[in-house]
């Protein structure tokens, strides 16, 4: 079965039953951060043999969250045929005490975290080979949620502010050739300038929702995707989920069950299916097609 056939079959399965939890291998690698602290990499990869080398998704979690709290979106991407490397940043599980914050600041520390797997390829290659897979390091996608979305944008070449009193600059990591952001912070003083997206020239998708607000921080959901139209070259999707909030009702980042999670699960499944179509085009070296139609997603192409 080729990738496209698998995409169609998993989309149908999701519609009927929800995502399977049995077809993904999950493990951990502990590596050393440049500042000497240990860094946990959570690796998700298909349990089956895909017959092709795995493209890489580097994932950065939201503020004070953790890598393991995003399985609802990451497991299906691994099942599709990607190696997902989700990093536990310094703030994983809660705000770090001041004496643990690096001198360069948490944002730069997170940037260094998310780049580190690219420097540990031999270790990761060996881990994957032991499970019957090879890695395609020529296909690396940066992905993140909320604050992690800003980190992913940085790797993909967005113009960002990397420290106090520093001028905004673009620092694209050459290996990164695609970008996925979930509820990125949008223009924010001291971090994301108004023209941040102007320097992003890789295929990109940004996801938000009509209830994606954080009172006192982001009071209008449109802030998350503001500026996406700048510098775009017809290779970018802006995705707005009807009724979707910052956590997909508790399906990611701040997990909880109940009515909100149940109501937003369909939008999550449609979003995952869309992301797989994005990855499909990226891996195939194609520009993004005309946005597909989904019942709960409004998709605009730039």
């Amino acid at each position: 079965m080729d990738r496209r056939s698998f995409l169609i079959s998993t989309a149908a399965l999701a519609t009927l039953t929800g995502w399977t939890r049995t077809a993904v291998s999950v493990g951990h690698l502990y590596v050393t951060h440049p500042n000497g602290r240990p860094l946990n990499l959570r690796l998700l990869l298909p349990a089956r043999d895909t017959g092709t080398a795995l493209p890489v998704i580097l994932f950065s979690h939201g503020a004070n969250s953790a890598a393991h709290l995003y399985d609802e979106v990451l497991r299906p991407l691994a099942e599709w045929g990607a190696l997902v490397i989700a990093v536990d940043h310094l703030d994983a599980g809660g705000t770090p005490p001041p004496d643990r914050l690096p001198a360069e600041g948490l944002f730069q520390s997170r940037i260094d975290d998310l780049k580190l797997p690219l420097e540990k390829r031999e270790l990761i290659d060996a881990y994957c080979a032991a499970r019957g897979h090879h890695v395609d390091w020529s296909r690396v996608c940066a992905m993140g949620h909320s604050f992690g979305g800003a980190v992913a944008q940085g790797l993909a070449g967005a113009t960002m502010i990397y420290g106090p009193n520093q001028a905004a600059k673009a620092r694209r990591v050459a290996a990164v050739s695609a970008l996925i952001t979930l509820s990125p912070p949008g223009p924010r003083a001291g971090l994301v300038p108004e023209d941040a997206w102007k320097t992003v020239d890789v295929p990109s998708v940004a996801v938000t929702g009509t209830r994606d607000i954080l009172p006192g921080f982001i009071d209008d959901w449109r802030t998350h995707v503001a500026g996406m139209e700048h510098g775009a070259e017809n290779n970018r999707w802006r995705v707005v989920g009807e009724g979707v909030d910052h956590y997909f009702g508790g399906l990611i980042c701040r997990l909880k069950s109940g009515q909100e999670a149940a109501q937003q699960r369909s939008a999550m499944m449609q979003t995952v299916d869309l992301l797989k179509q994005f990855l499909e085009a990226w891996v195939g070296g194609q520009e993004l097609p005309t946005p597909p139609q989904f019942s709960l997603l409004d998709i605009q192409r730039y």
Side-chain angles (χ1 to χ4, degrees):
M1 180 182 294
D2 62 22
R3 280 187 189 274
R4 191 165 300 279
S5 297
F6 184 73
L7 173 64
I8 294 170
S9 65
T10 52
L13 178 63
T15 301
L16 293 172
T17 65
W19 298 111
T20 178
R21 303 294 183 181
T22 61
V24 175
S25 169
V26 181
H28 299 268
L29 281 177
Y30 292 90
V31 297
T32 303
H33 190 278
N35 67 12
R37 66 178 174 85
L39 184 68
N40 174 39
L41 306 180
R42 190 168 192 262
L43 276 66
L44 300 89
L45 64 163
R48 62 188 172 85
D49 180 6
T50 64
T52 59
L54 306 179
V56 179
I57 298 173
L58 302 177
F59 181 78
S60 178
H61 62 73
N64 307 324
S65 186
H68 71 279
L69 300 177
Y70 289 86
D71 277 8
E72 197 73 28
V73 63
L74 297 183
R75 288 184 69 109
L77 302 184
E79 184 181 2
W80 165 83
L83 165 62
V84 180
I85 305 175
V87 179
D88 270 331
H89 295 294
L90 187 62
D91 57 314
T95 305
D99 61 355
R100 292 186 60 199
L101 287 172
E104 67 272 18
L106 184 58
F107 181 59
Q108 181 62 57
S109 175
R110 276 172 157 257
I111 291 283
D112 293 340
D113 289 349
L114 204 59
K115 292 191 301 184
L116 194 58
L118 300 173
E119 302 170 13
K120 303 293 183 179
R121 296 182 188 186
E122 291 186 4
L123 184 63
I124 294 170
D125 281 341
Y127 176 94
C128 293
R131 289 153 181 81
H133 291 288
H134 299 285
V135 182
D136 182 1
W137 291 103
S138 72
R139 285 283 186 265
V140 178
C141 175
M143 178 178 179
H145 171 245
S146 195
F147 185 26
V151 176
Q153 282 180 275
L155 263 65
T159 300
M160 307 294 282
I161 300 170
Y162 284 83
N165 304 315
Q166 292 185 15
K169 61 183 67 178
R171 294 178 176 175
R172 180 181 165 190
V173 174
V176 173
S177 59
L179 171 65
I180 296 172
T181 58
L182 309 175
S183 302
R188 300 295 305 175
L191 180 63
V192 186
E194 295 284 342
D195 62 349
W197 280 95
K198 188 174 182 178
T199 48
V200 176
D201 61 1
V202 301
S204 308
V205 57
V207 179
T208 185
T210 57
R211 294 174 55 200
D212 190 0
I213 62 172
L214 299 170
F217 181 64
I218 294 179
D219 295 314
D220 186 336
W221 64 264
R222 297 169 184 82
T223 302
H224 292 285
V225 290
M228 277 197 73
E229 70 279 8
H230 296 310
E233 297 182 357
N234 208 31
N235 209 18
R236 188 178 294 169
W237 283 340
R238 186 194 75 174
V239 182
V240 181
E242 180 62 37
V244 169
D245 65 21
H246 199 66
Y247 308 112
F248 273 89
L251 295 174
I252 60 172
C253 189
R254 306 280 188 265
L255 300 189
K256 61 181 181 181
S257 58
Q259 185 176 4
E260 285 293 333
Q263 288 176 343
Q264 296 186 45
R265 183 172 297 279
S266 180
M268 168 60 78
M269 288 164 49
Q270 291 180 37
T271 299
V272 166
D273 190 39
L274 176 71
L275 295 181
K276 292 196 293 183
Q277 294 188 45
F278 169 82
L279 294 171
E280 189 78 21
W282 165 61
V283 168
Q286 307 163 8
E287 283 199 350
L288 292 186
T290 300
Q293 299 297 311
F294 290 90
S295 61
L296 295 175
L297 304 182
D298 175 49
I299 309 168
Q300 183 171 350
R301 183 184 182 191
Y302 291 114

